[in-house]
């Protein structure tokens, strides 16, 4: 079974530029997550999708970050404009169903390492 | 709110040494607890989990016991190998109010031959 795919693996941009990340979840997984992992910290959830609807985006900085999941499969995360503090690894994960009161395992991709200069 | 505190790293051990990585948590309700591992250049992988008090999760020689009285979930392994070198994350999932994983900061383990 193929895992979660992400691209690009690395990206270097200057502040105020725009950047987009792509995620292809495991086939059949309804739930998709984007996490931000700053160096030395654990991953922090940015947004959670169930199919193509948003379940939780309470920690997404909506003035500069946006995400979409068209057709309930692939997803893109965009930052526009980027700031220095956005330098981090952006992880995508997918799971078979939404968590609710019971946890369902999340499968993580390798991440995209973003450096903002 | 929910939070996870795990021991600071990095931790460097010789092969076959005993490993303990401490993890304590604060959560509402009755959370499920997890250890994730991140090998260099790879995504996070679930290592083990425990869903209720006194449960013991185990996998690949690693163990952790869900201790409700001390709100802890310490990771242990009796004899580490070079291939165990990775970053280890403790995490919790609480169905009460926040349906998301909360991670600790991670502990980097290096095992030397």
């Amino acid at each position: 079974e193929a895992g979660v795919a992400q691209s690009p693996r690395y990206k270097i941009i200057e502040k105020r530029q725009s950047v987009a990340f792509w995620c292809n979840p495991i086939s059949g997984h309804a739930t998709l997550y984007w996490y931000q992992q700053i160096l030395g910290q654990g991953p922090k959830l940015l947004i959670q999708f169930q199919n193509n609807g948003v379940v939780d985006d309470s920690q997404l900085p909506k003035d500069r970050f946006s995400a979409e999941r068209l057709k309930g499969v692939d997803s893109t995360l965009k930052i526009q404009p980027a700031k220095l503090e956005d330098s981090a690894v952006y992880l995508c994960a997918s799971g078979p169903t939404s968590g609710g009161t019971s946890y369902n395992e999340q499968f993580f991709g390798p991440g995209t390492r973003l450096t903002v200069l | 709110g929910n939070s996870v505190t795990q021991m600071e790293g990095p931790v460097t051990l010789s092969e076959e040494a005993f490993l303990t990585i401490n993890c304590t948590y604060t959560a509402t309700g009755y959370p499920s607890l997890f250890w994730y591992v991140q090998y260099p250049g790879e995504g996070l992988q679930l290592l083990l989990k425990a869903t209720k008090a006194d449960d013991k999760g185990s996998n690949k020689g690693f163990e952790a016991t869900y201790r409700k009285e001390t709100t802890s979930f310490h990771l242990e392994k009796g004899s580490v190998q070079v291939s165990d070198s990775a970053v280890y994350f403790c995490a919790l999932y609480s169905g009460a109010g926040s349906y998301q994983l909360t991670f600790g900061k991670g502990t980097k383990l290096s095992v030397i031959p």
Side-chain angles (χ1 to χ4, degrees):
Chain A
E1 175 181 85
V4 176
Q6 291 188 247
S7 67
R9 293 294 308 275
Y10 304 91
K11 190 73 176 178
I12 301 174
I13 61 172
E14 296 191 350
K15 61 183 179 183
R16 292 188 289 273
Q17 286 187 323
S18 301
V19 65
F21 313 126
W22 174 82
C23 173
N24 181 233
I26 292 172
S27 177
H29 279 189
T31 308
L32 186 146
Y33 311 79
W34 282 103
Y35 289 85
Q36 180 191 58
Q37 185 179 10
I38 293 173
L39 186 64
Q41 299 183 21
K44 181 186 81 171
L45 181 70
L46 292 175
I47 189 167
Q48 176 184 345
F49 292 93
Q50 173 78 1
N51 296 310
N52 60 348
V54 175
V55 174
D56 182 356
D57 63 357
S58 58
Q59 299 188 90
L60 186 74
K62 299 181 185 64
D63 58 334
R64 298 184 300 106
F65 286 65
S66 64
E68 60 182 9
R69 190 183 184 198
L70 298 176
K71 301 181 181 178
V73 182
D74 293 6
S75 177
T76 56
L77 176 70
K78 296 180 182 178
I79 308 175
Q80 180 179 6
K83 292 185 176 181
L84 296 177
E85 58 261 36
D86 298 332
S87 294
V89 176
Y90 291 85
L91 297 167
C92 179
S94 69
T97 60
S98 180
T101 56
S102 298
Y103 173 76
N104 290 286
E105 184 174 351
Q106 299 176 25
F107 298 82
F108 285 81
T112 296
R113 183 177 297 277
L114 173 67
T115 302
V116 182
L117 302 176
Chain B
N2 298 335
S3 67
V4 174
T5 303
Q6 57 183 107
M7 65 186 286
E8 297 280 332
V11 174
T12 302
L13 295 174
S14 296
E15 207 165 21
E16 299 183 2
F18 185 85
L19 169 70
T20 300
I21 301 178
N22 291 337
C23 171
T24 57
Y25 68 88
T26 302
T28 53
Y30 301 95
S32 296
L33 301 175
F34 308 87
W35 279 99
Y36 278 81
V37 59
Q38 188 173 31
Y39 298 103
E42 298 183 16
L44 278 76
Q45 301 174 27
L46 180 63
L47 180 60
L48 54 84
K49 67 180 180 182
T51 58
K52 61 183 187 295
D54 300 325
D55 269 2
K56 177 185 284 188
S58 62
N59 186 24
K60 300 181 181 180
F62 291 89
E63 293 182 340
T65 301
Y66 187 165
R67 301 288 189 197
K68 189 169 184 292
E69 63 277 11
T70 55
T71 62
S72 65
F73 192 55
H74 305 321
L75 182 68
E76 297 182 335
K77 186 175 185 182
S79 176
V80 293
Q81 305 300 313
V82 172
S83 57
D84 295 327
S85 298
V87 181
Y88 293 82
F89 291 91
C90 185
L92 70 84
Y93 182 88
S94 173
S98 175
Y99 304 134
Q100 60 175 271
L101 280 172
T102 300
F103 287 89
K105 292 185 176 183
T107 302
K108 183 176 181 180
L109 170 66
S110 297
V111 181
I112 54 176

